[in-house]
Amino acid sequence: MTRLSQLLQPQREPVPALSAATVVLVRDAPDADGGLQVLMTRRSAKASFAPGAYVFPGGGIDALDSDPQVHAACARRPGQSDEQLTQAVAAIRESFEELGILLARHADGRLADAADIAALDRHAPFAAQCAALGLRLAADEVFVLARWTGDRDLPRRFDVPFLIAHMPENQTPVADEAEQFEPVWVRPQEALERHAAGSFFMIFPTIRTLERLAKFDGADAVLAACASGTPLWTSCPRAGFLAGKEARYMEDEMPYGELAMVCPDGQIVHALDWQSERAVRLRKNLQRLTAPNPGFMTGPGTNSYLVGDPSTGYIAIDPGPADAQHLEKLWRAAGGDIRFIVCTHSHPDHSPGAAPLQALCVQAGGSAPPILGLPSAPTARANSQFTPERLLQNGELLTLTGKALDGEITHTLQAVHTPGHAANHLCLLLVEDGLLFSGDHILNGSTTVIDPPDGNMADYLDSLDKLDALCAEHGVEFILPAHGYVLGDARGAIVRLKVHRLAREAKVIAALQALPGGSMDDWVAHAYDDVPPRIWPVAQRSLLAHIERIRALGPGNN
């Protein structure tokens, strides 16, 4: 749920994406080192799209590619849909027209050879020529690797399945010298290294595809991974600015959700550099100022948020550490009009700034905004003591009201008690805009530490379920954490986080079973073998929280 009136950028409709198809032809390297190789070719410097880039062969889908008669002349896998067959036909046709490669068989099963290729005219109707020679297109050997849709900001966009097929034996690619030049077999990692060195220009989808292909040992391995017919990934990238340059990201990368929230229609205007000098606008009624306390536990720093506008005043969420300069910048970003100060929990990078921020408001001649939250529990550590002036009850609403051009405007925060990371942890829902402020309960780029006795893994998982239900009820799309960029796909993020936690718990159970007489050091090395050892001392705290939950569930879990 989004109030369009609060978007920073005017709405616009991205250019419709045109249908196309490309094919990644693969083989095992013929040299002694072996390994996966892919066939790439350089586009014409005069091409209207990605001129001069090294690409996989492919192009637009023609009307004839979907013709039922053409489909009837194709070899087809069980379960291969009409759409997939059309895409395979387009990819086979384009690989022939551009590189003279023919994925086709004779009636007796023989693969097309050089004589068949020589008998075909690259500029004449393709499928009809193949049929005249008694060739059936080998669409059954073309699998879906991925699906890319062009970035929303591009003036010309394509919806492109990246297909994959084994290079036919005894064929040699020959570029058409019009659209494509210089066909080359290259290992994915080698192509990436040459691109980084500036000698092998590629566009974003090609780069990301190669990064994923570089993880496969050979052609059979990647083709086996694609055998189900489902894309290994689907993406429509987004872009912002980082260090003054355009930077693009896929859905699984940390900045993606923030770009989706700030620039939903793909405008490239948002700077992703972490900002401690001035507040960053995320919506007209939402600003973020990151405290200058980056570190191992805080990432780029603690995010302080301001909800509201000049007509309503502001609610400050998590003022952060007692850093005078940070608090003054936060106060100035609010125009000195802070109505409430809310702390999501009592940890020392979140709540100590509350009292000094309140004092700053008073010193400037304003009233003292109340400090709200939940008091630290007796289980809290000595450096995490916090007592609010007023308790926020679960479900309580904080409301700001003011004047807008079309009447009255309201910004409402709903408090949600979410124990787990800390016994007094709160999340906050901006009701009108469906935005969830998650404090430390949900982070972007890492999982939060559950540190007993104040932290409790059972409570943490229950709170995730509560937040998922809240997101479903209010149509929440975005989560704003206390550390890291905005997260998109809110409910998906919660599900993935819970799955991750339970998978980790399964590894903890396996460690306890494998090493029944082991120590915490032994168990953490076993259960957290996929993270760097430098993280193990912190991971031990979450390990203990898992063990406490496992034991509480009963003897069948240890």
Side-chain angles (χ1 to χ4, degrees):
M1 180 177 63
T2 298
R3 278 190 295 186
L4 301 182
S5 63
Q6 299 306 304
L7 294 178
L8 295 175
Q9 306 301 324
Q11 282 190 289
R12 67 175 191 183
E13 193 68 29
V15 174
L18 304 173
S19 295
T22 192
V23 61
V24 183
L25 292 163
V26 296
R27 71 177 189 184
D28 292 319
D31 57 36
D33 293 334
L36 177 68
Q37 284 187 325
V38 298
L39 181 61
M40 302 190 70
T41 180
R42 180 173 58 81
R43 286 179 62 80
S44 167
K46 299 179 181 179
S48 60
F49 181 79
Y54 281 87
V55 297
F56 309 114
I61 294 177
D62 291 345
L64 282 176
D65 296 332
S66 60
D67 187 287
Q69 290 186 333
V70 173
H71 282 196
C74 292
R76 183 173 189 167
R77 292 190 309 277
Q80 195 170 15
S81 68
D82 287 345
E83 180 188 40
Q84 290 174 334
L85 196 61
T86 296
Q87 294 164 353
V89 171
I92 293 171
R93 175 181 53 76
E94 287 286 344
S95 64
F96 172 73
E97 292 174 354
E98 293 182 347
L99 295 178
I101 295 167
L102 184 56
L103 293 167
R105 298 191 205 93
H106 289 276
D108 60 5
R110 288 181 298 115
L111 290 173
D113 57 21
D116 298 312
I117 294 170
L120 297 175
D121 182 349
R122 292 196 194 188
H123 304 291
F126 172 67
Q129 292 186 84
C130 290
L133 291 177
L135 293 169
R136 287 175 64 81
L137 303 185
D140 59 333
E141 295 185 7
V142 179
F143 297 88
V144 180
L145 171 67
R147 189 154 192 161
W148 290 93
T149 303
D151 311 24
R152 295 161 184 82
D153 64 288
L154 295 176
R156 192 177 184 197
R157 305 171 65 222
F158 294 93
D159 176 9
V160 189
F162 274 47
L163 308 176
I164 190 164
H166 206 290
M167 175 68 182
E169 294 181 2
N170 302 319
Q171 292 190 26
T172 301
V174 178
D176 62 6
E177 301 295 325
E179 292 185 47
Q180 305 292 353
F181 301 82
E182 301 175 16
V184 58
W185 284 102
V186 62
R187 290 180 175 85
Q189 187 58 42
E190 178 189 352
L192 293 168
E193 291 170 358
R194 290 172 63 182
H195 172 76
S199 62
F200 203 79
F201 170 58
M202 297 184 293
I203 61 176
F204 183 84
T206 310
I207 295 168
R208 288 290 194 262
T209 298
L210 290 170
E211 287 173 350
R212 283 156 174 76
L213 289 175
K215 299 175 183 178
F216 290 92
D217 294 330
D220 288 344
V222 66
L223 286 167
C226 299
S228 69
T230 302
L232 300 188
W233 70 90
T234 300
S235 182
C236 179
R238 292 183 178 274
F241 290 102
L242 190 65
K245 297 180 179 179
E246 282 189 16
R248 298 188 186 274
Y249 300 93
M250 292 173 64
E251 287 79 350
D252 62 342
E253 296 179 295
M254 288 186 286
Y256 189 91
E258 181 154 322
L259 293 170
M261 191 185 93
V262 178
C263 309
D265 297 329
Q267 301 94 330
I268 306 180
V269 295
H270 185 62
L272 292 162
D273 309 88
W274 287 106
Q275 182 61 259
S276 295
E277 290 301 312
R278 60 187 61 85
V280 174
R281 287 197 169 273
L282 302 175
R283 289 280 175 86
K284 290 181 180 178
N285 60 337
L286 176 59
Q287 301 176 69
R288 178 186 65 209
L289 182 65
T290 303
N293 61 335
F296 175 63
M297 296 297 292
T298 57
T302 302
N303 291 331
S304 299
Y305 294 100
L306 290 171
V307 173
D309 61 57
S311 74
T312 64
Y314 296 85
I315 299 173
I317 301 172
D318 279 341
D323 181 301
Q325 291 186 341
H326 171 71
L327 296 173
E328 182 177 356
K329 291 168 186 172
L330 190 63
W331 176 80
R332 290 188 182 280
D337 189 5
I338 296 177
R339 306 290 178 89
F340 302 98
I341 300 171
V342 181
C343 297
T344 60
H345 61 296
S346 52
H347 286 172
D349 60 319
H350 290 259
S351 63
L357 179 60
Q358 182 190 63
L360 180 60
C361 293
V362 174
Q363 290 168 9
S367 58
I371 298 172
L372 309 178
L374 293 176
S376 46
T379 51
R381 294 182 180 275
N383 66 347
S384 297
Q385 299 301 313
F386 170 67
T387 302
E389 293 181 337
R390 182 166 71 77
L391 275 62
L392 270 179
Q393 302 297 325
N394 184 53
E396 183 175 344
L397 302 178
L398 297 177
T399 302
L400 299 173
T401 303
K403 298 292 184 182
L405 292 176
D406 55 353
E408 190 176 81
I409 189 166
T410 301
H411 312 296
T412 307
L413 283 180
Q414 178 182 339
V416 186
H417 185 206
T418 51
H421 174 66
N424 70 332
H425 196 284
L426 290 169
C427 291
L428 299 156
L429 172 70
L430 181 52
V431 176
E432 291 85 0
D433 299 291
L435 301 177
L436 178 66
F437 298 88
S438 63
D440 277 359
H441 201 82
I442 300 171
L443 306 177
N444 189 345
S446 64
T447 52
T448 194
V449 176
I450 311 300
D451 184 8
D454 203 44
N456 183 287
M457 189 62 71
D459 288 345
Y460 179 82
L461 294 172
D462 288 344
S463 293
L464 282 181
D465 291 340
K466 180 189 293 187
L467 291 176
D468 180 61
L470 187 78
C471 290
E473 178 185 355
H474 291 273
V476 173
E477 297 180 40
F478 300 103
I479 297 173
L480 293 91
H483 305 281
Y485 295 112
V486 174
L487 284 153
D489 182 22
R491 296 193 69 196
I494 292 171
V495 168
R496 289 188 291 273
L497 180 54
K498 185 170 183 180
V499 167
H500 171 78
R501 287 290 192 181
L502 293 177
R504 181 69 68 193
E505 187 160 286
K507 295 189 71 172
V508 172
I509 292 172
L512 297 175
Q513 292 172 338
L515 305 166
S519 65
M520 291 291 289
D521 288 339
D522 298 328
W523 293 332
V524 78
H526 194 289
Y528 288 82
D529 58 352
D530 56 338
V531 301
R534 63 184 177 83
I535 297 176
W536 290 354
V538 175
Q540 276 196 15
R541 303 311 302 164
S542 290
L543 171 70
L544 176 59
H546 277 297
I547 291 173
E548 288 181 351
R549 188 179 110 92
I550 292 164
R551 289 174 174 167
L553 289 174
N557 294 281
N558 55 47

